[in-house]
Amino acid sequence: EKADSFKPTQIDYDKLDVDDVKQVYTATGNVVLTRGTLLMKADKAVVTYSPDGYQVATLTGGGKKVTFRQKRDGEGDQWMEGEADRIEYDERAELVKMFSRAKIRRLEGTKPSDEVEGEFISYDSRKEFFSVRNTNTGADKPGGGRGTMVIQPKRTEPAPAPATPAAEK
Amino acid sequence: QAQQPPGKGTPRVEDPDAPVTIRAEEINGRPERELVLTRDVEVVRDKMRVTAESACYRQVESELEAKDNVRIWRFGDYYTADEFKINTETGVGFMLQPTYKLEMNNAQGKARRIDFLSEDQATVIDGTYSTCEGPNPDWYVKSSTLTLDQGRDVGVASGTVVYFKDVPLIGTPALSFSLSGARRSGLLPAVPGFSSRGGAELTLPYYFNIAPNRDLTVSPHYISRRGLQIGAVGRYIGETDAGTYEGRTAVEYLHNDKERGIDRWQITSTHSQALAKDWSFGWNVRAASDEDYPTDFSKNVAGSAERQLLKELRTDYRGEYWGLTARVQKYQVLQDPDTTTLTPRPYDRLPAVNFHAARYDVGGFDWQVNAEVTRFHYSDETICAGKNIAGQTVCSFDSKINGDRVVVQPQVSFPIISPSYFITPKLMLSATAYQLDAFGKEESRSVSKAVPTFSLDSGLEFERSTKLFGRAVTQTLEPRLFYVYTPYRDQTDVPVFDTADATFNFTQLFAENRFVGSDRIGDANQMTAAIVSRFLEESGAERLRLAFGQRFYFKDQRVQLTDTATAVTSRRSDLLLAATGRISETWGVDSAVQYNQGDHRVETSNFNVQWQPGPKKVFNAGYRFQRDNFKNIDFSTQWPISQKWFGVGRMSYSMKDHRILESLVGLEYNCDCWVFRMGAQRFVTTTNKTSSQIFFQLELNGLSKFGIGNPLEVLKNSIPGYQRLNEGYRR
Amino acid sequence: CGFHLRGSGGNYTLPFSSMYISLPDSSPLAIDLKRNIRVNGGTTIVTDPKRADGVVEVITDPEKTRSKSILSLNSAGRVSEYLLTYNIVFRVTNGTGTQLLGPTQITLTRPITFSETQLLAKEQEEAQLYRDMQKDLVQQMMRRMAAIKPSRPDAAPTSTVSPLSVPGIVAPGSVAQPGTTATPVPQGPAEPKERQE
């Protein structure tokens, strides 16, 4: 959601190692990154600060999927959810890059309407623009396999009553 | 229920709730708005699948646009195109430089553009249509616009030229054909022709598909030596709440025949209609303008071989236990100017009312009553046939006695039936009463007869398992004895309206009366003995049936048709033998012999063999003999000569008159999407006249037929077991 | 020579305790078939197909498609023999619709000599021959149905078509009542889609 741009980014974690010289923070153990409605969970997160103070976080699942979830503008209770082996989040560009077996789902309430899958997905939450590549480095290699997207038909009847978002820790 | 001709094709419905699945090497875009897909793109939605090098999908408008090397599978049809745009909700869109291959009749073609108007409808612009496989089809229709409506099986092409091996056949402005072979209104291909009696001919039929259950074919038919004849065939079938109705009426009218200076016409009409649940009404009318009509205008054997044209109006009521039929019948008899023998005129029945009632197993008894009231009318006329050697036309004044007749035939039987035997005693009475008009010297008088009959039918049923040509079968042995006693009643004072000697065959062997019709009840004290042996497969199918039968007379047979004929004194009838069945997958046999032991000679015999070793391969050979009547041999075949060429032929030869009665020879060339038939047929129309027809026809499968005559009908009627080469196509 | 009286082997009784015939009650073929089924013993006729163990479904009604075609001509080009054809395609299913005997065709033919002097008599002889074919057809159907094994449904149907039978065309002006002429389904340049077996 647009409003997230003005919210601070907060990261919770079990353990934190800080390398002040290179300004690199490494948080490990059920790491949770929140920024307004944006919520990301991972096993490990490496956060570096750019000179102008913006964070660039790289979350890895360490075998488990890293997940992210964010509310979308527009009527009804629309959410974006995604998961991948590794997610890089650039705070200033508000760009989420998801690497290898990445998935994004758009939901109305709890009902998925669109779903995108691919080796690499980048999602610009400010312009709500995403793109899918077929290599897990983000480069586009011809013949390198394909991403998939499933679009559910548009519902003409009123959107179901918005279910209260499950309170997620 | 009425046999409704088929409605339109199965309608094509897209599932509105189907998801759209997209695959591509690179997907960019905004959810819910535009998606740009590049390389190895595949979009699937319900019954449509599109692959292309690049595509873009606008979700809000649900519009898909694909470019370069686009392939589309849709409802079983397959297209390729350079560019393709479609709205996945409405099915509206277009294709540039497409090729298409339809599921129906696997028709295919290419075009400059195809516009999709809905799921079912598409317009092919400057395209071709053909049902041939492969890139360069043997034939194709090239047309400026070609609307294909798979939902209603319609294909209307305008600005059309049909190319066969790249040679333009005809350029008709509009040619309607059907994608699935169902009926279309439209111009049928012109039919040029030549016949020995009319000279060069040209027919240009137009077919009106008025409604799914009603159609009309009007065919102006120009005959060089006679003038313009108009032919019209109307057909209808339908259902009212009372039940079904159906009919067919064919009319041919030629104004002022150049050769004869009179109007020539023929009408053939049948109609049957249910007035209520078990009550129907109908007519069956055939009439012609003059005696020579059949010889001059008949196009087929049946048309020229029948000269007694029936006009009948009838109504039937059929309950479960009884039925009533009332009919009015009048005959128009066409004399044959080429012979001196007069064609006999049957009695008109104005009217004939039949009543039939039967109840089975009423306390073990089956009883049945048949009754009939008929007014027999015979108009006195001088009839003339051909000229004799002295050049005078042979004429004679022809008149017969008229009269009314009432017949009542009750019968009761007590069948004792069990799987292994049956015994059926039966008592019958035939009571007839006549009211005869004055005729010649005799004044009007009435006469009545009542003749009882007792019959006892009995039979046993034996079985055993055995082998027939190496296959396990159950062979039955069914001996049967049938005794009939009918006392002699003098019937010489009774006229003969509708009675004749019944043909002596297995059916007649077990009938009580040796005459057919109610004017004569044959006196009888006779015993019929017969044995039938059937070879039954495990499925119960009858492979072969052998039968022997003979009747033994214990008394002379004194009742004859004419009062001058003397009694028959022989004590034994002819011996009847028969063998019939499909003894193996490839061989069929049907033969019967009637042997006169007294004079040691065969009275009638026929032997027919059918050999069908494989599809579209059949050979029939037949010998049919009846003493003093005919002695014909008959061959017919459909045989592949090469992989694509098929020969067809028939020859019916009268050994008694050393004359070929009917001959047909033809060739068929079968390509994967077209069939070419050509050949000639000749049949006898009168004692010294024959009619010969040539036919050739190019049938483009799924489109229509071009050529002379209707060879398909001719082949089907002349060759038992004939199979159409393009069986797969429903045209 | 191994012959024994039939029925003692018990293979003649029908394997159905109740049957339904999908033909109008007034059809002579239905009357004859029902009579033979009753006489056969052990099988009752019901009027509701759902309650029947065996449903005889007549696909081609022989009374509507009986046909008469010219078999041979004489030297004056007149008809000397007609061929009468009586053809049925039927199948047997159980009450719930599973097929016990696939579509089976039985075609019988009888030649009938013809002479113009006996036209009216020949009309009655024709009716006699059709009745005889109908009796013969009922016997063959009874044998087929007796051979059905409900436990092993859809035994491959073996059709027996008389070698003489020519695809039925009705000679114009044939004497058969209009009700029984071949059903004139309007046929333009194309036959209707469905083709009988």
Side-chain angles (χ1 to χ4, degrees), chain A residues 2-14:
Chain A
K2 293 280 176 310
D4 291 351
S5 322
F6 312 102
K7 295 279 176 32
T9 309
Q10 182 201 340
I11 303 179
D12 306 305
Y13 43 78
D14 293 351

Side-chain angles (χ1 to χ4, degrees), chain B residues 323-469:
Chain B
L324 189 72
T325 304
R327 296 184 300 177
V328 175
Q329 283 188 338
K330 221 171 139 35
Y331 281 92
Q332 174 188 9
V333 178
L334 308 176
Q335 296 303 331
D336 175 0
D338 294 318
T339 75
T340 53
T341 52
L342 296 167
T343 311
R345 290 162 56 223
Y347 272 95
D348 294 338
R349 287 185 275 204
L350 309 165
V353 179
N354 300 67
F355 171 76
H356 164 79
R359 281 307 294 267
Y360 298 113
D361 205 358
V362 178
F365 287 91
D366 289 359
W367 62 265
Q368 201 180 67
V369 174
N370 290 303
E372 189 186 298
V373 179
T374 321
R375 165 71 188 164
F376 289 98
H377 171 75
Y378 200 85
S379 52
D380 301 346
E381 252 177 67
T382 310
I383 48 174
C384 301
K387 292 187 171 48
N388 57 21
I389 23 152
Q392 303 120 335
T393 45
V394 171
C395 290
S396 91
F397 179 71
D398 182 24
S399 79
K400 281 184 185 165
I401 188 167
N402 293 346
D404 308 333
R405 180 184 73 185
V406 175
V407 177
V408 178
Q409 286 174 339
Q411 65 177 358
V412 64
S413 60
F414 190 82
I416 305 157
I417 298 178
S418 92
S420 54
Y421 70 89
F422 71 90
I423 300 171
T424 313
K426 179 193 286 187
L427 260 180
M428 283 170 69
L429 175 70
S430 170
T432 54
Y434 296 79
Q435 178 52 44
L436 303 171
D437 302 353
F439 178 69
K441 295 189 292 310
E442 300 149 19
E443 320 84 39
S444 70
R445 61 188 170 95
S446 58
V447 64
S448 64
K449 297 287 171 210
V451 184
T453 297
F454 164 74
S455 74
L456 180 66
D457 196 353
S458 60
L460 288 170
E461 184 114 15
F462 296 95
E463 271 180 7
R464 70 172 177 175
S465 317
T466 176
K467 282 228 179 310
L468 175 69
F469 302 112

